[in-house]
Amino acid sequence: MTALDLAAHHGECYRGVISMQAASWTPLSAEAAALLAGQTVAPDAGWTDHLEHAAVASASKKLTSEQEIELRWLQRSTSQQAGKFDGQAWASHDLRGRLGDVRCPVLIVQGTDDFLVQDELVDDTVAEMGSVAQLLRVPDIGHYPPFENPEWAAQVVDDFVKAVTVTAG
């Protein structure tokens, strides 16, 4: 979502922007929004377990057991407050109505195994951006494309950078 925000507010500064697993906004349930907004005192002891479960569940179904262990470790090694504030920012950021003025090329990558960012939200984002947006919807990738398949993600980035460099040059 940060990449989309940069394109919306400073697109003239970039030859292109890549956004992975993002949409112009991400609605949450009322319960999740209340928790992230701080209406509860603090995440309870099970919060880290919830973050681990959500991370693994939103990843590719083809995650190896070693990748799953690493992803759980990454979630556990971050503080509960960092997870809370990251979620709060993610849930409260809304770029609807601001993406139509983006002028630089934008590649939006969405893994089909990610349940956190739904197809409809991504489709609406691409539609608002119009011809500057290109959608790459990828099977067997979840919420963490560079983690789940780093070689593939690097190739996607490399191909896009080359394409926008040739176009700009």
Side-chain angles (χ1 to χ4, degrees), residues 37-128:
Q39 294 176 6
T40 59
V41 176
D44 62 21
W47 179 249
T48 302
D49 292 335
H50 175 71
L51 289 176
E52 285 181 24
H53 174 74
V56 172
S58 66
S60 170
K61 306 304 178 245
K62 294 188 174 193
L63 214 60
T64 66
S65 59
E66 292 83 14
Q67 285 176 308
E68 184 177 328
I69 290 167
E70 186 176 354
L71 191 53
R72 287 183 184 278
W73 179 85
L74 288 169
Q75 290 298 322
R76 186 160 295 274
S77 66
T78 60
S79 76
Q80 292 182 5
Q81 291 301 319
K84 175 184 174 184
F85 294 129
D86 177 53
Q88 184 177 355
W90 182 72
S92 63
H93 203 82
D94 189 344
L95 293 169
R96 290 175 294 177
R98 297 182 182 200
L99 297 175
D101 294 329
V102 173
R103 296 294 170 249
C104 66
V106 178
L107 174 63
I108 297 178
V109 179
Q110 181 195 19
T112 61
D113 286 350
D114 181 11
F115 67 83
L116 294 172
V117 183
Q118 293 85 26
D119 291 353
E120 303 81 37
L121 298 174
V122 174
D123 292 342
D124 290 346
T125 301
V126 171
E128 182 178 347

